[in-house]
Structure formats: structure tokens, C-alpha cells
């Protein structure tokens, strides 16, 4: 109960204090409004006085300078010492005629300077604008010229020289590679590659014949010497003489170039007409070392079969006939083994080089 009473008393005192503060705020606001209303005429008077002092200062400053030629009088301007009614209405009360004249001169000089200044500024504005435009345009042109690269032709000298150098390099590289490729092919073709042996050719074998001196001759009589064999007949019109001449010339060239002694041998495939005397006379016409061999038909058939030589009579009219036969030369080694054959398409030089190469290769293998 006592606590409730204390709370009630405190609340009542708080209300009273807040009311007093509210009344005090109202009094302060009234005092401020009254003071501002009293000070407003004074502020007005002070502002007017400041404006008058500023105007007087401008007049004194204009009087200290030489006056420019006066422009045409504007409406309401003062002529002589007479003042316009507008100026009199603007001037403050209590100002005399001299003061009015002074005010009029100040106003005229101010208006003149303002007009001249505005005219000069208006005159200068287009010139400055034009100068500024020219400067801006020049700057823009310069910046444009400076920023824009000068475009040359579609092909410069540097690019042209690079193109020429690249083309020359490609041509040189292609030509060098081509020559190297051709040289590699030539070297590969000249190099003799020895592969696995597949056995010897079944060419050659034993024989028993008669030479042009009438002596019996076998294959053993030729052992230890290089031999070139040719099968033909003495009545051959053209092929046999040509081949025997080629054989004789090749034997001499081989001896001259490489120092190899080759034994040339002629074996007849016409035993019926090629007697010992006939063969002797025939072979001596081609080379002094050419050996002629003949024999019985059976012996000739046997040796021709051993050397895989074809021969046959073609036309027979009485005793005059031709013999069709193989046109081949056989190179036989020192052991009378077959080395290589040479056909009709080989001339003297080809036959010479072929025999020399085969002999050299044979010696390398041995």
C-alpha cells in the first residue's frame, strides 16, 4: 500500500515537471519571434547601407579612370544637369542634385562598361569559338593523322624479299634432295648384293671333241683358265661372223684393260660340213687364239644339250642349208663352271665390262 502511494506521488510530480518544461519552451519561442520581428527592420537598413556603399565604391573607381567615348544615350538618360524622374525615384531621400548627378554618371559609366564588356565578350566569343574550333580541328586532324597509320602498298619490299628468299630456298632444297635421291639409286644399283645361293645353273658338263688341229679335247683341258664359248657354224652368212668379231675384240680389250687372259672357243653345231680343216681355216680369220671344236653328231648333240643350246637345220637344198641356233656366249670359270651368259644385245664394250666385273667378283668371293 505504501509502495503504491510512493509510485502515485512520483508519477504526479513527473507530470508537473513536464508541464513546466513545456510552458518554458513556449515562452522561449515567443521571445525569439518578438526579437526577430524587432531585428528585421534593422537588417533591412543594414543591407541597404551596404548596397549604397558598394555603389559608391564603384562610382569612385570609375571616376579614377579616363572615361571612354560615351555611347548614344539610353532612354531616361540625364541631359546636362537635369536628372530623370526614374533616377530621382531610385535615389534615397535627402540626396541633393549633385549627388543625383554623381549617381547618374556612375550609372552611365557602369552601363557603358557593361555594354562595352558585353560587346567585347560577344565579339571575342565567335573569334575564340572559331579559334578554338580551328585548334580543335587541327588537334583532331593531328591526332587523327598521328593515330591513323600510313597505309602503304599491298606488298612491301621486305615481304617481297622474304618471298624471293623462301622460293630460292625451296628450289635449292628440292634440287639437292633430287640429286641425292638419284645418287642413292645409282649407288644402290651399282652395289652388288649377295643373297643366299640357290645353287648353280645346270649349264656345262663333260665333253669330248676335236680341235682345229685334229686333237681330242675335253673340258679338263680348259681348267685353270677363263673361257668364253660360242656355238655356231662356218657357213653362217652374217650372225656368226658378227658375234665372233665381237668376241675377238672383247678378248683383246679385257687383256688391255684388266690384264685377264680369256680363251675364246668356237664349237660347231654343223658337224656334217664343219670338218677339222674347215673349222681351222674359219677361226683363224677372226683371232689367232680362237680355238675351234667339232666332232661327231652325237658328241655335238651331247655338248649342246649340256650347255642348253638349241640348233636345227632349217632348209635343205642339196648340200646348202642353214642351221638355226641359239646366239649366246658362255663365260666359264677356271673350274669350268658356268658364271654368266651374254646375248646378242651386248656390244663389245658391254661384253668387256661384264666379263671384267664377273672375274673381279669371282675373285672377291674366293
Amino acid at each position: 500500500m505504501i509502495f503504491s502511494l510512493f509510485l502515485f506521488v512520483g508519477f504526479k510530480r513527473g507530470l508537473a515537471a513536464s508541464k513546466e518544461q513545456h510552458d518554458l519552451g513556449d515562452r522561449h519561442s515567443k521571445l525569439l519571434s518578438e526579437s526577430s520581428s524587432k531585428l528585421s527592420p534593422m537588417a533591412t537598413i543594414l543591407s541597404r547601407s551596404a548596397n549604397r556603399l558598394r555603389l559608391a565604391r564603384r562610382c569612385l573607381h570609375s571616376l579614377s579612370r579616363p572615361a571612354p567615348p560615351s555611347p548614344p544615350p539610353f532612354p531616361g538618360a540625364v541631359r546636362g544637369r537635369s536628372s530623370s524622374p526614374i533616377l530621382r525615384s531610385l535615389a534615397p531621400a535627402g540626396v541633393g542634385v549633385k549627388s543625383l548627378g554623381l549617381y547618374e554618371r556612375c550609372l552611365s559609366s557602369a552601363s557603358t562598361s557593361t555594354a562595352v564588356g558585353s560587346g567585347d565578350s560577344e565579339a571575342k566569343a565567335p573569334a575564340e569559338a572559331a579559334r578554338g574550333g580551328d585548334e580543335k580541328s587541327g588537334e583532331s586532324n593531328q591526332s587523327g593523322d598521328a593515330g591513323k597509320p600510313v597505309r602503304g602498298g599491298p606488298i612491301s619490299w621486305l615481304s617481297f624479299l622474304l618471298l624471293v628468299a623462301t622460293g630460292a630456298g625451296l628450289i635449292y632444297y628440292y634440287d639437292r634432295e633430287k640429286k641425292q635421291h638419284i645418287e642413292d639409286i645409282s649407288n644402290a644399283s651399282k652395289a652388288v648384293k649377295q643373297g643366299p645361293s640357290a645353287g648353280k645353273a645346270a649349264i656345262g658338263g663333260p665333253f669330248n671333241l676335236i680341235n682345229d688341229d685334229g686333237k681330242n679335247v675335253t673340258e679338263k683341258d680348259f681348267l685353270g683358265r677363263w673361257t668364253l664359248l660360242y656355238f655356231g657354224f662356218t657357213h653362217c652368212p652374217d650372225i656368226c661372223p658378227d658375234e665372233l668379231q665381237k668376241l675377238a675384240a672383247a678378248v683383246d680389250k679385257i687383256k688391255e684393260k684388266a690384264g685377264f687372259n680369256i680363251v675364246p672357243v668356237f664349237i660347231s653345231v654343223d658337224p656334217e660340213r664343219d670338218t677339222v680343216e674347215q673349222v681351222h681355216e674359219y677361226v683363224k680369220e677372226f683371232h689367232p687364239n680362237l680355238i675351234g671344236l667339232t666332232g661327231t653328231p652325237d658328241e655335238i648333240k651331247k655338248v649342246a644339250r649340256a650347255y642348253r643350246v638349241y640348233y636345227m637345220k632349217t632348209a635343205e637344198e642339196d648340200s646348202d642349208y642353214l642351221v638355226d641356233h641359239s646366239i649366246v656366249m658362255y663365260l666359264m670359270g677356271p673350274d669350268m663352271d658356268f658364271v654368266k651368259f651374254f646375248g646378242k644385245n651386248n656390244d663389245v664394250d658391254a661384253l668387256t665390262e661384264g666379263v671384267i666385273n664377273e672375274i673381279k667378283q669371282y675373285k672377291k668371293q674366293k
Side-chain angles (χ1 to χ4, degrees):
M1 184 70 182
I2 295 172
F3 182 73
S4 301
L5 181 62
F6 281 140
L7 288 175
F8 177 74
V9 172
F11 180 71
K12 189 173 181 180
R13 287 182 180 180
L15 289 176
S18 63
K19 186 175 180 181
E20 290 177 1
Q21 290 179 0
H22 182 69
D23 294 339
L24 184 61
D26 292 340
R27 290 175 185 176
H28 287 171
S29 62
K30 288 180 180 181
L31 289 174
L32 289 174
S33 62
E34 290 176 359
S35 61
S36 62
S37 62
K38 291 179 181 180
L39 291 174
S40 58
M42 295 179 65
T44 305
I45 295 171
L46 289 174
S47 63
R48 288 180 181 178
S49 299
N51 291 333
R52 290 173 183 175
L53 289 174
R54 191 180 297 111
L55 182 61
R57 185 178 178 181
R58 290 180 61 185
C59 291
L60 291 175
H61 182 68
S62 62
L63 289 174
S64 63
R65 295 185 305 175
S70 60
F74 59 91
V78 180
R79 292 182 179 272
R81 294 188 176 271
S82 61
S83 60
S84 64
I86 298 174
L87 185 59
R88 289 181 178 276
S89 63
L90 293 174
V95 178
V97 178
K98 293 182 179 180
S99 300
L100 288 176
L102 181 61
Y103 277 115
E104 184 177 359
R105 288 182 62 185
C106 291
L107 289 175
S108 62
S109 62
S111 62
T112 304
S113 62
T114 304
V116 172
S118 63
D120 293 339
S121 62
E122 290 177 358
K124 290 178 180 180
E128 291 178 354
R131 190 182 302 110
D134 295 338
E135 291 177 355
K136 289 181 180 179
S137 62
E139 291 176 357
S140 62
N141 291 333
Q142 291 176 358
S143 63
D145 294 338
K148 185 177 180 181
V150 179
R151 185 175 181 182
I155 300 177
S156 64
W157 283 107
L158 180 59
S159 61
F160 178 74
L161 292 176
L162 289 175
L163 180 62
V164 172
T166 304
L170 289 175
I171 293 173
Y172 173 76
Y173 175 77
Y174 175 76
D175 186 62
R176 187 182 66 178
E177 290 296 323
K178 184 178 179 181
K179 290 181 179 178
Q180 185 66 32
H181 183 65
I182 294 173
E183 185 177 356
D184 293 341
I185 293 175
S186 178
N187 293 334
S189 63
K190 290 180 180 179
V192 178
K193 297 181 180 180
Q194 294 297 328
S197 178
K200 295 182 180 180
I203 298 176
F207 59 85
N208 189 359
L209 299 173
I210 302 172
N211 63 11
D212 59 293
D213 291 333
K215 296 179 180 180
N216 291 329
V217 177
T218 64
E219 74 282 354
K220 295 178 181 179
D221 295 327
F222 299 96
L223 292 176
R225 296 181 294 178
W226 288 90
T227 307
L228 269 175
L229 299 178
Y230 177 75
F231 290 81
F233 64 105
T234 60
H235 291 79
C236 181
D238 48 10
I239 295 178
C240 291
D242 293 340
E243 292 299 307
L244 289 174
Q245 287 178 359
K246 181 171 67 176
L247 174 60
V251 168
D252 292 337
K253 291 190 71 173
I254 292 169
K255 176 66 176 179
E256 180 183 354
K257 292 184 67 175
F260 300 141
N261 291 316
I262 306 298
V263 179
V265 177
F266 170 77
I267 299 177
S268 174
V269 292
D270 186 13
E272 296 178 359
R273 291 183 299 183
D274 289 343
T275 62
V276 174
E277 294 78 8
Q278 181 71 25
V279 171
H280 181 78
E281 293 177 0
Y282 185 75
V283 295
K284 297 309 175 184
E285 294 178 0
F286 298 100
H287 197 277
N289 296 331
L290 181 59
I291 298 173
L293 299 178
T294 185
T296 63
D298 293 337
E299 290 293 334
I300 297 300
K301 186 181 295 185
K302 184 179 178 180
V303 71
R305 185 179 298 168
Y307 284 88
R308 304 293 188 268
V309 174
Y310 161 80
Y311 71 98
M312 185 181 65
K313 294 179 180 179
T314 56
E316 186 173 352
E317 296 178 0
D318 297 332
S319 61
D320 192 9
Y321 58 87
L322 297 176
V323 179
D324 189 12
H325 60 89
S326 303
I327 308 172
V328 180
M329 294 183 190
Y330 295 97
L331 177 63
M332 310 302 291
D335 52 1
M336 283 302 289
D337 292 334
F338 171 76
V339 177
K340 190 175 182 180
F341 71 90
F342 299 91
K344 186 177 181 295
N345 57 336
N346 290 276
D347 57 6
V348 176
D349 294 332
L351 180 60
T352 301
E353 294 296 329
V355 171
I356 292 174
N357 292 334
E358 291 298 328
I359 294 174
K360 289 181 178 180
Q361 188 63 31
Y362 179 86
K363 289 185 176 182
K364 286 181 180 180
Q365 294 177 0
K366 295 296 181 181

